[in-house]
Amino acid sequence: MNQATPPAWAEEILRVLLPPRDRDSVGGDLIEGYRERIELSPRKAAADLWYVRQVAGFAYRSVGVWAFAFAALFVARGVVDALIATDDFTVRSTISTVLAATVWACCGATVAWRTGLIRSGALAGILTATVAPLVTVTLNALFYGVVVLTGSDQIFVNIARSGGIEEGFTLPFFVVGPGIVLAAIGGVFGATARRIQSIVRPPRML
Amino acid sequence: MADALGAFEQAVLLAIVRLRKEAYGRAIHREVEERLGRSVAAGAVHATLQRLERKNLVTSELGEGTEIRAGRPRRFYSLQPSARLALNDARAHIEKLWNGFEWPLKGRI
C-alpha cells in the first residue's frame, strides 16, 4: 500500500471549504482516489493534477455562484452606463458599490456559515478573486465587441464619459483586494453565527 | 408520485443499490464513473449525495477508515424506501416515453 500524499496546500483548501461533517470522510475519499491513481500509474504529477482538479471542483461549487454574481453586477453596470446617458454617476456608483460589497460579504459569510471556520471566509474571497475578474473581463469583451460592431455614436460617448472601455478591463482586478477583505469580514460573521447556532441548537453528528 | 429524479441522481442512487453495504463516497464515485463511461468530479457526486439526503431519499452514517484513506472514516449511504419509489417512477417515466418505439432507432425519423 502506498503512502503517497497529495499537495498539502490542496488538502488544506479542501478542509477549509468542507463542513465539519464531511471534512474527514470526503478528505479520505479523495486520498483513496489519489492513491488508487498512484497504484495505476506511478507518475505522481498525474495523481497530483487529479487531486487538484477535484479540489477545484469543490471550490467552484462553494464560490462559483458568487464569482458569477459579481461579474454579472459589474457587466450590468457597464451596460447601463453605455445605454443610458447620465451626468451624475453618484447614484449608480453608490448602488453598484453597495451591491458588490454585499456580494463579497455574503460570499465569505455563507461559506464560513457552512464550515464554521472564520478562515473559510477569507479563502472564499481569495478563490472568488481569482475567478471573478476573469469572468468579468470575458463578459465585458463580449459586450464591447457587440458595441463595436453595432453600437451608435451616442453609446461610444456614454462609455467614454463613464470611464472608457479600458475601465471594463482593469477595474475588476482592482476591486478584488477590498473584496477579499469584505469576504473575510463576512466570514467572521458567518462563522460566529454558526457557533452561536451550534450552542443554541447543537448539531447531530452522524 | 415521488420527486422527479435527474439522470445524475438516478446514477448515484443506482450506484448505492449496486454497492449495497459498500456504498461509501469513493466507491459511489468510482461506480458512477464506470457506469457513465466518463470522468466525473468528486464534488458533483458529493453535492448530489447531499441533495438526496436533504430530499430524504438516502441516509448516511460514518464507518471506520482504512489504510488507503490515511485512516479517515468512510461515510456509508443507504437508500430510504422513498428512493425506491422515486427510482421506480423514473424508470416507468422513461418506459412510457419510449413506448411504441423499437430501440435502437433506425432509418429516417
Side-chain angles (χ1 to χ4, degrees), chain A residues 55-111:
Chain A
V55 173
F58 278 94
Y60 174 75
R61 281 171 182 81
S62 291
V63 301
V65 65
W66 299 109
F68 279 96
F70 172 79
L73 188 64
F74 205 98
V75 174
R77 169 69 200 277
V79 171
V80 169
D81 282 350
L83 300 181
I84 306 168
T86 184
D87 289 323
D88 181 11
F89 288 95
T90 314
V91 174
R92 289 182 188 179
S93 294
T94 305
I95 292 172
S96 55
T97 303
V98 168
L99 287 177
T102 306
V103 165
W104 284 99
C106 286
C107 168
T110 52
V111 175

Side-chain angles (χ1 to χ4, degrees), chain A residues 3 5 32 35 62 109 133 136 138 153 156 175 180 186 191 196 206:
Chain A
Q3 297 294 318
T5 52
E32 187 176 333
R35 289 180 174 172
S62 291
T136 310
T138 305
D153 290 344
F156 283 102
V175 299
I180 293 170
I196 291 169
L206 291 175

Side-chain angles (χ1 to χ4, degrees), chain A residues 21 29 32 36 54 206, chain B residues 24 26 30 42 53 69:
Chain A
R21 173 188 186 272
D29 286 337
E32 187 176 333
E36 282 170 8
Q54 301 307 317
L206 291 175
Chain B
Y24 67 95
R26 175 61 191 156
R30 227 173 8 228
E53 274 198 284
R69 303 169 59 83

